[in-house]
Amino acid sequence: MQNLSVRSSGFTDSVIRRMTRVSLKYDAVNLSQGFPDMDPPQAILDRLAQIAPTGPHQYALTWGARNFREALAEKQRRFMGIDIDPEKEIVVTCGSTEAMMAAMLTVVNPGDKVIVFSPFYENYGADTILSGAEPIYVHLKPPDFNFDAELLEQAFRQNPKAIILCNPSNPSGKVFTREELELIADFAKKYDTYVITDEVYEHIVYAPYKHIYIASLPGMKERTISCSSLSKTYSITGWRLGYIIASERVIENARKVHDFLTVGAAAPLQEAVIPGLKFPDAYYDGLLAEYTHKRDLFLKGLSDIGLPYTEPQGAYYVLLDMSEFGVADDVRFCEELAESVGVGAVPGSSFFREPIHHIIRLHFAKKDETLYEALNRLAHIRTKIRKKSRCTKP
Ligand code: GLN
């Protein structure tokens, strides 16, 4: 038989999603794939129940139901501080996963270069391969995950078509400062580069850090393709509701890409989430307070156990330094962690371009009791993992 496509053979399955399967296999507390075990807001669930008998149950407009887009434009205008035309500047997608892929296919020709900060959310690897882009990696250096401005400009000098900006950043928890965003914006304008953002953690930014939308900086609305989703903001990761906000010119093409990829996002779910899009600021303050509490609880637990980590400024991930375990293969290490300790994690090598194998990622988007259970299990990590490795040594 003929070979399958080079495209589809050029990447592995998602390690993040694989670690969820590994966690299930060993009945581990799954802190790998980032999704909450908290319920969505009641108003959204009530609306979902209310529309079950009446619908909509058929296709929404391909680029999103009008009332959903109107509510979304209003909400994002409030937070982003820019005007958004719901008729011309939004396409509703199946999660930000599709938004990012559609954005890439909209701007990138095969062979075009795209700047990716490393560590990066693993989807961007597959996104570049599927769109035929050639990534130029720029290292974010732990523990602050700052970048070298000169190295970034060197990357821009290679004439990239786009830069992917995940802000707040997964997995590092970095929140880009205004100065950093201004520098990226200046380079983007100077070298005529699009900025494709992934801002799904826009409402999870811990004080004193602040989320700044790069699209809101002077001259950036035209060249920014803002991707985000409702998954994390309303705890509805399974609903697959995301979107692209960009200029009319970009959206015109992005709508076509989206149309032929998926036709559209689920119509009843678009309808059901509208009360959420209309929540007042108090909802977002409450969400942040909840995640701040979880972050503090979880980081304190890790400190008590003596596991070193870098403190996230935003999002709900924490990177842990596992060097004391002499990790050579972090994928194997995470499997062992799930099997012997009972906690699911993601190996750092699925995020870092650099040969880094001593880091793992955990997330804390879980009920307090789930986090306590994970911490109780992690408290035994040194006996479980050390003992096991000693046993297997000749
Ligand atoms: N963003 C989540 C993570 O990094 C997972 C998203 C997904 O699996 N689609 O774990």
Side-chain angles (χ1 to χ4, degrees):
M1 300 260 271
Q2 295 210 53
N3 290 339
L4 297 173
S5 73
V6 172
R7 263 203 186 99
S8 68
S9 310
F11 52 93
T12 68
D13 63 324
S14 155
V15 178
I16 295 178
R17 266 81 78 191
R18 194 193 306 161
M19 289 315 298
T20 282
R21 298 192 291 274
V22 169
S23 299
L24 287 170
K25 178 170 160 196
Y26 296 116
D27 200 20
V29 180
N30 184 10
L31 302 187
S32 60
Q33 187 180 15
F35 63 90
D37 63 355
M38 292 84 85
D39 288 330
Q42 194 56 44
I44 295 179
L45 297 180
D46 288 347
R47 182 71 185 135
L48 181 64
Q50 198 181 34
I51 63 169
T54 57
H57 293 302
Q58 309 309 324
Y59 302 123
L61 278 184
T62 289
W63 47 84
R66 179 190 292 243
N67 52 351
F68 177 95
R69 277 182 286 116
E70 281 170 354
L72 178 67
E74 189 48 46
K75 182 215 156 214
Q76 290 308 112
R77 196 179 293 142
R78 222 165 90 213
F79 287 101
M80 297 175 78
I82 54 172
D83 267 346
I84 301 158
D85 183 342
E87 286 305 320
K88 300 189 177 127
E89 296 177 329
I90 292 181
V91 52
V92 181
T93 57
C94 300
S96 63
T97 297
E98 189 214 332
M100 295 289 294
M101 189 69 245
M104 289 284 281
L105 291 171
T106 299
V107 301
V108 166
N109 287 315
D112 280 349
K113 297 195 170 82
V114 172
I115 300 176
V116 180
F117 286 110
S118 167
F120 59 93
Y121 174 48
E122 64 172 9
N123 277 37
Y124 312 152
D127 290 345
T128 53
I129 292 169
L130 288 170
S131 59
E134 208 183 289
I136 311 171
Y137 294 101
V138 174
H139 187 46
L140 293 174
K141 200 161 169 280
D144 302 325
F145 297 97
N146 291 333
F147 58 84
D148 180 321
E150 180 44 41
L151 288 182
L152 183 64
E153 183 154 21
Q154 269 176 32
F156 270 99
R157 276 194 210 105
Q158 295 175 51
N159 192 28
K161 196 70 172 287
I163 176 169
I164 296 179
L165 179 71
C166 182
N167 184 33
S169 207
N170 175 7
S172 66
K174 177 185 177 66
V175 174
F176 285 77
T177 63
R178 179 175 291 278
E179 291 68 34
E180 288 172 327
L181 294 172
E182 282 171 351
L183 187 73
I184 295 168
D186 286 346
F187 287 154
K189 286 183 270 189
K190 180 172 170 189
Y191 295 98
D192 191 12
T193 304
Y194 288 99
V195 179
I196 300 176
T197 73
D198 176 352
E199 297 178 276
V200 302
Y201 305 99
E202 62 200 294
H203 295 294
I204 308 176
V205 175
Y206 307 106
Y209 303 97
K210 288 220 173 337
H211 181 63
I212 295 161
Y213 295 86
I214 196 165
S216 71
L217 298 185
M220 287 306 289
K221 192 183 162 194
E222 290 308 303
R223 61 177 62 252
T224 303
I225 299 157
S226 305
C227 301
S228 191
S229 98
L230 282 63
S231 292
K232 318 298 196 210
T233 304
Y234 305 108
S235 304
I236 48 169
T237 59
W239 288 28
R240 314 309 302 127
L241 288 177
Y243 55 88
I244 303 175
I245 292 176
S247 67
E248 182 179 357
R249 175 176 160 265
V250 172
I251 289 297
E252 216 173 271
N253 278 20
R255 279 178 174 179
K256 292 186 286 177
V257 174
H258 159 72
D259 191 359
F260 288 103
L261 280 176
T262 64
V263 177
L269 302 183
Q270 291 184 53
E271 178 65 35
V273 84
I274 289 174
L277 291 170
K278 295 183 175 168
F279 283 158
D281 287 358
Y283 173 77
Y284 303 94
D285 295 343
L287 181 81
L288 179 59
E290 188 182 359
Y291 275 112
T292 303
H293 158 78
K294 291 185 185 306
R295 181 188 73 152
D296 294 349
L297 179 164
F298 196 58
L299 297 188
K300 176 170 185 315
L302 293 177
S303 298
D304 290 347
I305 299 167
L307 293 171
Y309 57 81
T310 51
E311 193 171 310
Q313 302 166 351
Y316 49 52
Y317 304 99
V318 53
L319 293 176
L320 284 82
D321 182 335
M322 292 283 137
S323 329
E324 68 168 283
F325 298 95
V327 185
D329 176 345
D330 58 349
V331 177
R332 180 68 212 110
F333 179 82
C334 284
E335 273 166 14
E336 194 175 348
L337 191 70
E339 184 179 358
S340 313
V341 182
V343 174
V346 182
S349 57
S350 40
F351 306 108
F352 283 89
R353 174 66 182 166
E354 300 76 23
I356 287 177
H357 296 284
H358 63 285
I359 287 177
I360 65 166
R361 190 196 78 173
L362 295 176
H363 82 91
F364 49 84
K366 292 286 182 241
K367 291 178 185 150
D368 289 6
E369 65 251 39
T370 314
L371 294 176
Y372 283 125
E373 177 60 28
L375 288 167
N376 284 339
R377 293 180 183 200
L378 284 169
H380 302 289
I381 186 170
R382 294 190 175 87
T383 40
K384 302 263 170 115
I385 292 215
R386 284 250 169 89
K387 205 153 91 202
K388 211 158 179 284
S389 348
R390 267 195 224 114
C391 289
T392 54
K393 269 186 193 153

